[in-house]
Amino acid sequence: MKKILLLILLVSCGVFSQNLNMQNGSFTRCSGTFYDSGGNAGNYAASESYTMTICPSTPGTYVQLVFTSWNVEGEPFDFMTIYNGTNTSGTVIGTYGDTSPVAGSGCNTMTNQIASSHASGCITIVFQSDTSVQYAGWAATMSCTTNAGGDPIVGGPTPPPNAVCGGASPFCADAGPLEFPNVTDADCVPDAPAVVVSQTCLGSAPNPAWYFIEIDQAGTLNFTISQTTGPGGTGTTLDVDYALWGPFPNASAACADFTQGDCTADHTCTGNVVDCSYNFAATETATITGAQVGEVYMLLVTNFNGAAGYITMTQTNAGSGGAGSTDCTIVCPTAVGVNPSCGASNGSITISTVNPNTSYNVSYLDDGVPVSVTLTSNASGNIVISGLNAGNYTNIVTNFPGCTTAYSSVVLSGGVAPVLSSITNNSPICAVNNAVFNLTGTPNATVTYNINGGASQTVALNAGGTASVTVTGVSANTTFNATSIASTSAPITGNGLSATGGTTPANSAGAISASGTAATAANCTLVNGTNNVLTITLQHTVPAGTAITISIARDTNAGVVNISDGTANLAFSAGPNDVLQYITFTTGATTNTITITRTGGAVWVDGVQYTFTNPGCSVSISNSSTVVVNPQPNAGADGATTVCDNSVAAINLFGLITGEQAGGTWTRSSGTGGTFNAGAGTYTPAPGATTSTFTYTLTGVVPCTNDTSIATVNISPQPNAGADGATTVCDNSVAVINLFSLITGEQAGGTWTQTSGSGG
């Protein structure tokens, strides 16, 4: 009924043409519904064997399926396997039969998004049914997402990496019993692929955990595999099953081939199936007979019960006559770093593939300085060294059995935090002059700042670590606020920090020889059939697109190697034998390692060289400096007035000057007479007073100068013509009358005029 309703909805939306029924072929879709061969209303058929590839119709996206119904008989009868990519050679995303891909069933309490993570964005679906019992099949919504592997499920489970064959973990018996938390039903891990079940004694393969073993010494190896609810064999026993394949040349080859054999419950096996057990026992015994050096075997351990617990694997015949041994170098701890933040000490190095919850001695060189610590691994078998600065960490080693000389190297790049060590200024200054701020700090760093909280500006420190900022014509206190500083670095030359593999790997570290130099065992590492892989750790983690010069030469005519950073690859097989030449390898991803793998003959490797610029580093700061601005005093413009000497009104000296600032001091600088009141700034002339000048002075604060203005009072004397007088004479008098004698107290210099009368 749900399928019929879904079909009606799809038809009403006009997308019926986007639907797909299970069949052979390749299709492009980013919408619609994916059904079994019976469509929306019918069952799938008997004896089906279909392979369908669905690719995105939108380039750059990934096909995603969300199953809305599921009704299939289940393994090994009717089941579906979904592969990543355009064919069945891709990794298995999941096998579905007894396990339903529908949300809400089993542990799938949320939407189960099954999506491609392949570069093509495609998925390949294989469905097989037997000759009897057919069910209603399935319905799944098709879409495309920009997230490789599907849209994230918040809070969804994250299965362990070795829940699939491609993530298999190495197993070293010399290290003692290997104990690890089992995979449980709660991990939501799909069963191992149905092809595994059909080619072994296993009736089902729930909660799988994969391990690979490499042989170090030829012989027979016996292993016990047991499972309990508690660590160290404590608690309740749990059913454990296994299957063992081999030999293979490497682990990846094992994951590609499960079809060359079969095995029955009595451990009688054919093809590449070495051993297998599927019973109720909590302890199983697995045997590899006649193993040879270098062979790789793949082991699948399942937890049929599904309850949480611990699985332990131990080689029981180690050291006995005719016993083989495992190669522990495949499980020697590897180190991966997390860079610290700019200028911080929060970097870390994680050492993986050690036993969980175990104390280890860890030693390393921190930029050449020896360090030794005792740390306990976590439940996932990882040791974490925390609180690290940026730097070169070399010769990283633990006391893991068989690995005391298997060094790792990690480069942590966090950038050295730049500093602004000082800000000086020319404080104080006088108003309308320039404020100058002098900065000292990390050479070539860039400082972001503002003036008085205004807009952000930048200034670059020179190679000597200094800079100057001038603010012109300031009239008030001025503050320089530095808010951040960012460092830049000049390109530097990098080489190999360390190397592993090949012969004399140390010869591949350090500076390289000149092109044309003879390649010998004294200056090069030989990569040949015995030592076929050389891994060089760079002094820096370089970005994608970095051109790396490799100093290299063939040793034999058949010498061929592949150079890789895990993404980009370059084949080398040219030039005269035993004469170094330079070739350029361009990185395809951010990396600090280059791996050189022999594919034929023998090749000399002298080392690598590249140009690297340390990442910029910006830190927030709060540095400030204030220039104090003192105002230049203004006593005003000079002024003057003229008064009569008999004036009695007080003269306001402030009224004689203009534009003056208050707060100055009056002094009498010349003249006499009259009354001068300096505090009030007044002057009252007295009769007979002479011209007086007064100075108004404002005192300047260094570096400002004093300013003065002058008020001048010109005093004009009042003239005195004397007191009137008269005389009487006879009109016939002939004597001359002295008029001055008729008046008294007169001043000389006057002018006589006849104002009335006539005659004489």
Side-chain angles (χ1 to χ4, degrees):
M1 181 62 70
K2 290 182 180 178
K3 281 191 177 181
I4 296 174
L5 290 174
L6 180 60
L7 177 62
I8 293 172
L9 289 172
L10 291 172
V11 171
S12 67
C13 294
V15 295
F16 178 79
S17 62
Q18 293 294 313
N19 295 343
L20 275 177
N21 291 352
M22 188 69 207
Q23 57 191 290
N24 289 321
S26 296
F27 305 87
T28 56
R29 293 289 191 277
C30 275
S31 63
T33 303
F34 169 50
Y35 294 112
D36 57 87
S37 61
N40 69 301
N43 295 351
Y44 56 84
S47 302
E48 289 190 350
S49 181
Y50 289 129
T51 300
M52 171 187 283
T53 298
I54 306 175
C55 292
S57 54
T58 303
T61 61
Y62 304 87
V63 171
Q64 178 172 277
L65 300 178
V66 176
F67 282 82
T68 55
S69 65
W70 181 260
N71 189 1
V72 171
E73 185 179 7
E75 301 98 318
F77 312 109
D78 305 339
F79 57 90
M80 173 188 292
T81 303
I82 302 179
Y83 298 85
N84 200 24
T86 57
N87 52 54
T88 56
S89 66
T91 57
V92 174
I93 296 176
T95 299
Y96 306 97
D98 296 327
T99 298
S100 169
V102 178
S105 64
C107 68
N108 298 329
T109 57
M110 292 166 287
T111 301
N112 186 22
Q113 296 147 338
I114 300 170
S116 171
S117 59
H118 191 265
S120 65
C122 305
I123 57 173
T124 296
I125 306 165
V126 175
F127 180 71
Q128 295 176 305
S129 64
D130 64 3
T131 58
S132 62
V133 186
Q134 293 80 48
Y135 294 134
W138 64 84
T141 301
M142 296 180 290
S143 63
C144 291
T145 175
T146 57
N147 295 310
D151 294 330
I153 303 174
V154 178
T158 302
N162 70 339
V164 295
C165 184
S169 300
F171 170 53
C172 164
D174 293 355
L178 170 65
E179 182 176 82
F180 56 94
N182 60 10
V183 178
T184 73
D185 291 346
D187 292 316
C188 295
V189 177
D191 289 4
V195 65
V196 170
V197 175
S198 64
Q199 300 294 329
T200 65
C201 69
L202 300 178
S204 63
N207 307 304
W210 296 84
Y211 285 85
F212 68 91
I213 301 164
E214 186 168 334
I215 304 304
D216 182 55
Q217 179 178 318
T220 296
L221 296 93
N222 298 326
F223 302 98
T224 60
I225 306 170
S226 60
Q227 182 174 216
T228 57
T229 56
T234 61
T236 305
T237 59
L238 297 172
D239 178 15
V240 67
D241 303 304
Y242 73 90
L244 182 65
W245 294 264
F248 300 103
N250 51 57
S252 59
C255 294
D257 186 6
F258 295 113
T259 62
Q260 297 180 7
D262 199 354
C263 200
T264 61
D266 64 355
H267 295 233
T268 301
C269 303
T270 61
N272 64 9
V273 181
V274 174
D275 204 353
C276 181
S277 179
Y278 187 70
N279 60 42
F280 297 106
T283 299
E284 302 279 7
T285 300
T287 301
I288 304 174
T289 302
Q292 299 300 308
V293 175
E295 291 179 344
V296 172
Y297 292 83
M298 183 63 69
L299 176 67
L300 166 65
V301 181
T302 67
N303 172 18
F304 185 84
N305 182 281
Y310 295 84
I311 296 174
T312 301
M313 295 194 297
T314 308
Q315 182 180 355
T316 56
N317 69 331
S320 301
S325 66
T326 56
D327 183 357
C328 280
T329 62
I330 64 172
V331 296
C332 284
T334 56
V336 177
V338 175
N339 292 331
S341 304
C342 175
S345 299
N346 58 357
S348 65
I349 294 175
T350 297
I351 303 172
S352 59
T353 68
V354 299
N355 292 328
N357 305 311
T358 302
S359 178
Y360 287 96
N361 296 322
V362 182
S363 63
Y364 56 91
L365 298 180
D366 180 355
D367 284 333
V369 178
V371 178
S372 181
V373 292
T374 300
L375 298 171
T376 300
S377 59
N378 58 29
S380 299
N382 296 326
I383 303 170
V384 179
I385 309 171
S386 58
L388 301 179
N389 298 309
N392 294 332
Y393 296 84
T394 57
N395 287 23
I396 304 171
V397 65
T398 70
N399 60 332
F400 192 85
C403 297
T404 54
T405 59
Y407 296 120
S408 295
S409 297
V410 171
V411 179
L412 298 184
S413 300
V416 177
V419 296
L420 183 60
S421 53
S422 69
I423 308 176
T424 61
N425 58 50
N426 61 337
S427 181
I429 63 172
C430 195
V432 197
N433 285 298
N434 298 339
V436 180
F437 300 92
N438 300 304
L439 284 61
T440 302
T442 301
N444 303 309
T446 299
V447 177
T448 300
Y449 68 94
N450 64 65
I451 301 298
N452 294 332
S456 291
Q457 305 175 66
T458 59
V459 60
L461 305 184
N462 60 23
T466 63
S468 179
V469 175
T470 300
V471 184
T472 60
V474 298
S475 57
N477 289 357
T478 300
T479 300
F480 179 100
N481 300 301
T483 56
S484 66
I485 183 169
S487 65
T488 56
S489 300
I492 58 178
T493 297
N495 298 106
L497 174 67
S498 62
T500 58
T503 64
T504 58
N507 287 350
S508 297
I512 60 177
S513 303
S515 179
T517 301
T520 68
N523 63 354
C524 294
T525 302
L526 187 64
V527 181
N528 56 18
T530 304
N531 303 280
N532 57 7
V533 177
L534 172 66
T535 300
I536 301 175
T537 299
L538 308 180
Q539 289 178 320
H540 309 91
T541 299
V542 299
T546 299
I548 297 181
T549 298
I550 301 178
S551 180
I552 193 169
R554 292 191 307 175
D555 179 49
T556 63
N557 290 335
V560 182
V561 292
N562 179 64
I563 303 167
S564 177
D565 62 2
T567 300
N569 294 277
L570 175 67
F572 168 78
S573 61
N577 293 346
D578 305 322
V579 177
L580 291 173
Q581 60 176 297
Y582 288 172
I583 65 171
T584 300
F585 171 78
T586 303
T587 59
T590 299
T591 185
N592 72 332
T593 58
I594 299 296
T595 301
I596 301 175
T597 304
R598 169 195 176 269
T599 57
V603 170
W604 295 108
V605 179
D606 173 41
V608 299
Q609 181 173 298
Y610 54 90
T611 299
F612 177 76
T613 302
N614 275 309
C617 184
S618 179
V619 293
S620 296
I621 56 178
S622 182
N623 297 20
S624 63
S625 179
T626 300
V627 168
V628 175
V629 179
N630 295 324
Q632 174 60 47
N634 181 13
D638 295 349
T641 187
T642 301
V643 298
C644 189
D645 67 354
N646 63 355
S647 172
V648 294
I651 300 170
N652 179 8
L653 300 178
F654 285 109
L656 302 184
I657 58 177
T658 56
E660 74 279 3
Q661 298 170 345
T665 302
W666 283 101
T667 59
R668 183 168 183 167
S669 54
S670 68
T672 58
T675 302
F676 170 54
N677 186 338
T682 61
Y683 170 63
T684 305
T690 60
T691 297
S692 294
T693 59
F694 304 89
T695 301
Y696 180 68
T697 302
L698 285 171
T699 302
V701 179
V702 175
C704 297
T705 58
N706 294 349
D707 192 40
T708 61
S709 64
I710 297 176
T712 302
V713 179
N714 297 309
I715 305 170
S716 298
Q718 175 63 43
N720 183 8
D724 294 349
T727 187
T728 303
V729 296
C730 184
D731 64 1
N732 61 350
S733 172
V734 294
V736 176
I737 301 172
N738 181 0
L739 297 178
F740 284 109
S741 63
L742 299 183
I743 59 177
T744 57
E746 75 277 9
Q747 297 171 343
T751 302
W752 287 100
T753 58
Q754 188 172 22
T755 56
S756 66
S758 62

